[in-house]
Amino acid sequence: MLKTTCFRWTVVLRRSCSSASSESRVTNPSILRHLTSKITATGAITVAEYMREVLTNPVSGYYVKNDMLGADGDFITSPEISQIFGELVGIWCVSEWVASGKPKVLQLVELGPGRGSLIGDILRVFHQLQSVLHGAEVSVHLVEVSPKLSQLQAQCLAGEYTCGGEDELVYRTGTTHTGLPIYWYRSVKDVPRGFSIFLAHEFFDALPIHKFQRTEKGWREVMVDIHPEEPDKLRFVLFPTPTLASTTLIHEDEKRQHLEISPEGGVIVQKLASQIAEDGGAALIADYGHDGTKMDTFRGFRGHKLHDVLEAPGTADLTADVDFSYLRRMAGDAVVCMGPITQRAFLKNMGIDARLQVLLRSCHDATTRAQLIHGCDMLTSPEKMGSRFQFFSLLAPSRLTQPWEEGEGLGRRRRGPAPLPVAGFSELGL
Ligand code: SAH
């Protein structure tokens, strides 16, 4: 078991929010114009295409143009609320690396790192646990489509960095403040092979979804069309006949009346699963979601308030709860899936209460102490983020099997020590 008793916990001041206020962001007419001319030319578009255009269109997409995180933005995430979140995820990464037999190479891969707060907190843990990680070749790999956010990540994480060309798979490289190589990619398929710990926090909920409605004639796909009476407004319609997505994506045993499926999320999980099965490693996916029970969760957020998803596209975040039952099905049998379990259970198992006490002991400023307590409450309280957010993990099957090792006497083999429990998904004995 990973011993963390000598780990120094320091209080870190969060960067002040520099994002443009959502109030100052006016309607983004170019996206609406682009969408209406596309629909006029080719007919109603899928919700997935609508989401992809609104969020990641390379010219005017919401993620491409904005820093939407933080108190002044549209939503706030757990790593932005408290440093303890990233520190506990950092311990989880080291714990999985130790339990996997301390492989020589350790790639830390984050999908959609936002402002880089989670990975920044993890790198601080890695630096403080140098004696445990001794001898490992650690490198950091960030998958980010947003030029604006990747620039913020570089400023926050890297002492020095250089930018690659537009067409290069690695579009930026550098060295972290703690001296580790760091690389940026647009797609997870470009990350090199090797033992990797993949992290995805509030990433899968941002991926485009297809929406389907069960009707008397069978499943029909929900599409986005121009409103017949108001040409600058959009509305949802049902496609009259089956579409490619409605005939290929829906599982035959499906019981729900309405469905949201992200094939892009499925492809990414398949890639993570095959890499983990072949090269070893693990993935930790944390997001708001459900295990195949919810139906209509597509929604928009602007300035921390719910926002009509079809209104003023490009000015609000669009998101849908992650269906972990779908991700589990896509991961297949080559990996072991753990969870989903609630964020509260995961953080409690990781020892959040003990961590808070240690931080409070070293902090004498009343405001910072109050922020630390408030942050932990936000993360774990069932009425706040404790129940809605779920943790899910993919592991190499070898991680959970008891290895054979040579015993006494020629040719005698006996079972090795039992595998270590998976931190977070069971109580961590510190
Ligand atoms: N993980 C961060 C940010 C969450 S917001 C946090 O929890 O604070 C979603 C992040 O995913 C942003 O960084 C966004 O730019 C990125 N993103 C969204 N769609 C993406 C895609 N298709 N490929 C890569 N990154 C994407």
Side-chain angles (χ1 to χ4, degrees):
M1 183 61 66
L2 176 69
K3 292 271 180 259
T4 55
T5 40
C6 60
F7 176 27
R8 274 186 301 118
W9 292 83
T10 45
V11 178
V12 178
L13 289 178
R14 278 273 175 261
R15 286 174 301 288
S16 60
C17 301
S18 60
S19 61
S21 156
S22 64
E23 292 308 316
S24 67
R25 252 183 280 135
V26 286
T27 314
N28 188 335
S30 65
I31 291 201
L32 183 60
R33 225 179 300 124
H34 171 66
L35 287 166
T36 49
S37 42
K38 191 169 192 166
I39 295 170
T40 308
T42 59
I45 56 172
T46 64
V47 174
E49 192 172 354
Y50 175 74
M51 246 178 124
R52 193 173 301 113
E53 288 288 357
V54 171
L55 294 181
T56 56
N57 177 296
V59 181
S60 46
Y62 171 81
Y63 282 121
V64 175
K65 300 263 281 200
N66 297 304
D67 169 14
M68 68 300 292
L69 290 150
D72 297 341
D74 292 322
F75 59 98
I76 188 151
T77 61
S78 297
E80 298 290 331
I81 288 173
S82 172
Q83 66 179 81
I84 301 180
F85 184 87
E87 289 169 345
L88 294 177
V89 173
I91 291 183
W92 188 88
C93 297
V94 178
S95 165
E96 276 312 298
W97 173 77
V98 170
S100 306
K102 302 188 177 179
K104 180 100 185 114
V105 168
L106 168 52
Q107 298 194 147
L108 194 54
V109 185
E110 188 181 359
L111 314 183
R115 288 179 167 190
S117 301
L118 175 61
I119 203 86
D121 290 332
I122 293 173
L123 290 179
R124 204 174 53 257
V125 170
F126 273 40
H127 192 59
Q128 290 175 338
L129 291 178
Q130 272 176 78
S131 57
V132 180
L133 286 161
H134 181 70
E137 281 169 25
V138 183
S139 52
V140 183
H141 305 260
L142 304 181
V143 178
E144 176 59 73
V145 277
S146 164
K148 173 128 188 174
L149 289 175
S150 79
Q151 179 71 28
L152 276 179
Q153 293 152 18
Q155 284 162 0
C156 156
L157 301 166
E160 52 191 64
Y161 55 89
T162 51
C163 296
E166 277 282 296
D167 304 332
E168 287 179 47
L169 299 183
V170 181
Y171 66 84
R172 182 179 289 124
T173 58
T175 308
T176 67
H177 295 301
T178 52
L180 301 175
I182 182 166
Y183 308 89
W184 278 262
Y185 314 80
R186 288 178 195 87
S187 167
V188 68
K189 68 180 181 336
D190 301 327
V191 175
R193 300 289 303 262
F195 181 94
S196 304
I197 305 271
F198 295 96
L199 302 168
H201 184 264
E202 287 215 37
F203 170 75
F204 279 89
D205 71 276
L207 298 179
I209 50 152
H210 286 266
K211 276 174 91 66
F212 306 103
Q213 178 66 43
R214 196 193 285 274
T215 72
E216 283 168 1
K217 294 186 204 131
W219 287 103
R220 290 292 181 265
E221 181 157 7
V222 178
M223 313 288 283
V224 176
D225 203 354
I226 299 170
H227 199 287
E229 279 120 43
E230 296 170 87
D232 58 350
K233 277 209 174 336
L234 300 170
R235 65 164 186 170
F236 288 120
V237 293
L238 274 192
F239 204 74
T241 53
T243 58
L244 180 65
S246 73
T247 45
T248 54
L249 293 177
I250 303 173
H251 197 260
E252 54 192 28
D253 295 336
E254 186 53 59
K255 299 278 183 297
R256 285 170 281 180
Q257 297 298 311
H258 189 94
L259 267 187
E260 295 170 337
I261 299 180
S262 170
E264 218 168 286
V267 168
I268 292 173
V269 157
Q270 281 173 338
K271 151 80 187 159
L272 304 189
S274 72
Q275 183 158 338
I276 290 168
E278 285 169 35
D279 302 340
L284 188 64
I285 298 171
D287 226 307
Y288 37 88
H290 57 91
D291 208 4
T293 50
K294 288 201 187 171
M295 295 194 277
D296 186 8
T297 69
F298 185 37
R299 60 202 182 283
F301 279 105
R302 180 171 172 180
H304 300 265
K305 293 199 185 91
L306 277 171
H307 180 90
D308 184 334
V309 286
L310 297 182
E311 187 71 35
T315 63
D317 185 37
L318 299 181
T319 167
D321 280 15
V322 174
D323 184 343
F324 289 104
S325 70
Y326 174 71
L327 296 192
R328 190 185 298 110
R329 202 162 72 236
M330 291 298 112
D333 297 333
V335 285
V336 176
C337 296
M338 308 278 292
I341 63 165
T342 64
Q343 170 157 306
R344 176 183 174 82
F346 181 87
L347 295 178
K348 292 272 178 190
N349 286 341
M350 291 299 301
I352 190 169
D353 297 327
R355 304 293 166 225
L356 175 64
Q357 291 313 316
V358 176
L359 275 184
L360 289 176
R361 243 175 272 141
S362 69
C363 171
H364 304 292
D365 172 58
T367 314
T368 313
R369 287 172 67 87
Q371 275 170 0
L372 285 169
I373 295 167
H374 175 70
C376 280
D377 180 56
M378 282 284 285
L379 298 183
T380 56
S381 167
E383 302 80 46
K384 294 167 188 162
M385 298 167 100
S387 300
R388 288 207 60 206
F389 283 80
Q390 309 280 320
F391 277 69
F392 181 74
S393 177
L394 311 180
L395 301 169
S398 57
R399 164 71 179 81
L400 297 173
T401 51
Q402 214 170 345
W404 289 94
E405 60 181 27
E406 298 308 315
E408 278 148 40
L410 268 183
R412 294 185 58 194
R413 282 158 60 77
R414 63 171 178 223
R415 280 197 177 275
L420 295 174
V422 181
F425 293 86
S426 49
E427 237 171 287
L428 186 65
L430 287 172

